[in-house]
Amino acid sequence: MRADVTVCGLGYVGLALAQQMSTSGMVVIGYDVDPVVTAELAAGRSHIDDVLDDDLTAMSIAGFTVSSDPAALGASDAVVICVPTPLDAEGAPDLGAVRSAAAAVGARLRPGMLVVLESTSFPGTTDEVVRPILEQTSGLTAGVDFHLAFSPERIDPGNRVRTMAKTPKVVGGYTPGCRTRAIELYGRFVEKVVRARGTREAEMAKLLENTYRHVNIALVNEMAIFCHRFGIDIWDVVDCAATKPFGFEPFRPGPGVGGHCIPVDPHYLAFKARSVGLESTLIDAAERINAGMPAYVVQRCADLLRTHGGELAGAHVLLLGVTYKPNIRDVRMSPAYDVVRDLRARGARVSYHDPFTPRFTVDGEPVPATADLTAALRAADLSLLLQDHTAHQPEVLTAHARLLFDARGVLAHAGDPHVEVL
């Protein structure tokens, strides 16, 4: 079967991309190395928040097919690579999936094809990692025999307003001709395409976007620590500062950062900086602050218990929300993992309530889940609000929790003596 485009990697980025392309009238093939993923999708069952089962049905009607056969990578005139780029055990970039995908695409590359990398990585990845693999495997030359480009993903899980079609798409090509070909592809389903000078500029733009968030979150987290020590309400401080109509963008503190971008992308930039002898001083400082927030939250919980005559060791702590964002089921790199580890290390008994996450396992050990929020609040020695899901109604929390630590500022102005806020 011939198609307009093949999407390589059907995770949070790839499947959402395939859905938007399909909705726009394109015939799309979805390829993933995991046969379980493709089997579930073929059966009409989605594994991500932004693509519903009904969406898969509509996509299928429009011609969308899925496959774990690498031959699918040669069945279109364009291939978009959307594979994971995690960190390895030492915190360095792991481009194993990108290299494997590039080799698989290269083995099926034909003259005139377009290959686009969307996986986030350090500047130079498209040219220095992907291009040589494609050329060596295929015997073709980028910019002459085939087109090569980079376009950073801008997926915001759970955002129903800023959809992919309404979010400007940055595109950088290996050559101007490559960029033009890629712009033609994205222009079919995105309202605005932004031309980057080249692939490195497009790659760097993605890292700047998320490093900006990482650093500013670290700043407000450090402000929260300062304000607590000085007896100042950080939430009121942020609300007041946010009224300034210029020169200030409000960020709010929390128990740490999570998800597929902010905890990872700055590491790619820092890695690239070190490779040329530069120090990423600000990025490294932001990482230390944000990575330390789970332990800070646990210490505040211990202090709250001690104030009321209790101890963390042996206490039953209920976590409210374990995902990294509100009202989604995505737990990738959620700060809840480190919170659980620290609580367990200090002898606490941990359970959780999260209507979006039926199972939550930390270091191979499941965290007990409870469906009855009211009963769970009453049973716990201390409840810890880690994520502000709409299911966690403030009036329910304050009415039934024995002690409550709010790490998200939902109850910032409640004035309740048994509630403490970050």
Side-chain angles (χ1 to χ4, degrees), residues 202-231:
E203 290 162 338
M204 191 68 177
K206 172 64 175 179
L207 297 184
L208 175 59
E209 292 169 14
N210 286 326
T211 301
Y212 167 83
R213 295 169 65 197
H214 189 54
V215 169
N216 280 281
I217 291 170
L219 173 63
V220 77
N221 278 336
E222 190 167 57
M223 289 295 109
I225 296 171
F226 291 170
C227 285
H228 174 65
R229 186 66 61 90
F230 298 146

Side-chain angles (χ1 to χ4, degrees), residues 39 60 68 78 81 86 172 193 277 314 343 347 353 391:
S60 179
S68 56
I81 298 174
V193 179
L343 286 170
H353 176 273

Side-chain angles (χ1 to χ4, degrees), residues 344-403:
R344 285 174 171 171
R346 299 177 67 161
R349 295 179 293 113
V350 186
S351 63
Y352 81 100
H353 176 273
D354 191 318
F356 296 91
T357 310
R359 290 174 297 279
F360 186 57
T361 299
V362 179
D363 298 334
E365 182 181 345
V367 181
T370 177
D372 188 335
L373 176 58
T374 300
L377 290 168
R378 291 172 175 170
D381 297 302
L382 181 142
S383 299
L384 169 55
L385 181 63
L386 288 178
Q387 194 51 264
D388 50 339
H389 293 319
T390 53
H392 297 142
Q393 297 295 327
E395 60 272 16
V396 175
L397 302 182
T398 55
H400 301 288
R402 295 162 65 182
L403 287 177

Side-chain angles (χ1 to χ4, degrees), residues 228-397:
H228 174 65
R229 186 66 61 90
F230 298 146
I232 298 171
D233 184 343
I234 181 61
W235 305 97
D236 191 54
V237 169
V238 173
D239 288 344
C240 289
T243 64
K244 184 179 181 181
F246 56 90
F248 183 81
E249 178 74 20
F251 287 79
R252 287 173 170 79
V257 293
H260 63 299
C261 286
I262 297 178
V264 176
D265 295 359
H267 287 273
Y268 275 73
L269 186 52
F271 171 85
K272 187 65 174 180
R274 288 193 296 271
S275 72
V276 294
L278 297 176
E279 291 187 16
S280 52
T281 307
L282 188 58
I283 298 172
D284 294 343
E287 170 62 22
R288 288 194 298 272
I289 293 168
N290 288 334
M293 289 306 292
Y296 175 74
V297 166
V298 171
Q299 183 57 51
R300 290 284 301 276
C301 288
D303 294 342
L304 178 59
L305 275 166
R306 195 172 298 113
T307 299
H308 290 81
E311 291 292 335
L312 195 54
H316 175 196
V317 179
L318 172 69
L319 304 185
L320 302 171
V322 294
T323 64
Y324 85 91
K325 278 190 68 177
N327 304 323
I328 64 171
R329 53 182 167 171
D330 193 351
V331 297
R332 287 176 295 171
M333 301 192 76
S334 169
Y337 285 102
D338 283 337
V339 168
V340 170
R341 292 185 182 104
D342 202 351
L343 286 170
R344 285 174 171 171
R346 299 177 67 161
R349 295 179 293 113
V350 186
S351 63
Y352 81 100
H353 176 273
D354 191 318
F356 296 91
T357 310
R359 290 174 297 279
F360 186 57
T361 299
V362 179
D363 298 334
E365 182 181 345
V367 181
T370 177
D372 188 335
L373 176 58
T374 300
L377 290 168
R378 291 172 175 170
D381 297 302
L382 181 142
S383 299
L384 169 55
L385 181 63
L386 288 178
Q387 194 51 264
D388 50 339
H389 293 319
T390 53
H392 297 142
Q393 297 295 327
E395 60 272 16
V396 175
L397 302 182

